Amino acid sequence: IALGAVGAIVAVGMFGACSDSTTPDVQSAPAASTAAAPAGDAPSASAPAGDVPAEYESALAKARSYAENMHMSKAAVRDQLVSEYGESFPKAAADYAMANLDGIDWNANALEKAKSYRDGMHMSNAAIRKQLVSEYGEKFTAAEADYAMRELG
């Protein structure tokens, strides 16, 4: 099993196949334009709400959902936003979302992922740590993974 698939298996097992708007749907990607807006057209991180394109606000809402409900890492959230197999948002919309995604405790997300691997997959601490930092897995930073492993015990 590829390490990246383990996270998807755990996530689906934890959240089930829900279709409500608060649970991310990692199974299907909406049809969205993948053409990036010209660099000068991207709103700034502090742009008033009325000046922000709806697609950018949608990317922010989706990013928050992934971070808060699935406890994804910052890198994994961003990758999911722009992936052709994920949300297919334009790069500029993902950039806006990540710049405005505040209030997320990435250390706490790493700990929640670690707990899910320990409790749901019965993985060893060494395997959990590898999965947390793997570019094919959860993509947490080394510092975030270290925090999670210290707290996991």
Side-chain angles (χ1 to χ4, degrees):
I1 290 180
L3 288 177
V6 174
I9 291 167
V10 171
V12 171
M14 290 175 60
F15 296 105
C18 297
S19 61
D20 67 17
S21 63
T22 60
T23 304
D25 180 7
V26 297
Q27 299 286 324
S28 63
S33 169
T34 56
D41 292 348
S44 69
S46 60
D51 294 340
V52 177
E55 186 170 44
Y56 286 41
E57 290 295 340
S58 293
L60 177 57
K62 189 57 91 164
R64 183 165 303 286
S65 181
Y66 281 122
E68 291 178 349
N69 298 324
M70 297 194 64
H71 309 290
M72 292 172 76
S73 69
K74 191 172 191 175
V77 169
R78 187 180 193 304
D79 287 352
Q80 186 69 16
L81 291 178
V82 298
S83 172
E84 67 179 294
Y85 304 107
E87 300 303 327
S88 298
F89 282 107
K91 181 184 178 306
D95 290 345
Y96 172 84
M98 299 313 295
N100 288 280
L101 185 59
D102 54 1
I104 304 298
D105 184 343
W106 302 109
N107 283 333
N109 279 10
L111 178 56
E112 288 303 313
K113 276 294 184 190
K115 287 178 181 177
S116 72
Y117 284 116
R118 179 194 63 196
D119 299 341
M121 303 290 292
H122 308 289
M123 293 170 69
S124 70
N125 284 357
I128 293 169
R129 173 79 173 53
K130 285 180 185 177
Q131 181 68 11
L132 290 177
V133 299
S134 172
E135 67 178 297
Y136 304 108
E138 302 301 335
K139 301 179 183 179
F140 283 100
T141 66
E144 292 160 349
D146 290 345
Y147 171 85
M149 299 314 296
R150 273 193 313 274
E151 295 298 314
L152 191 62

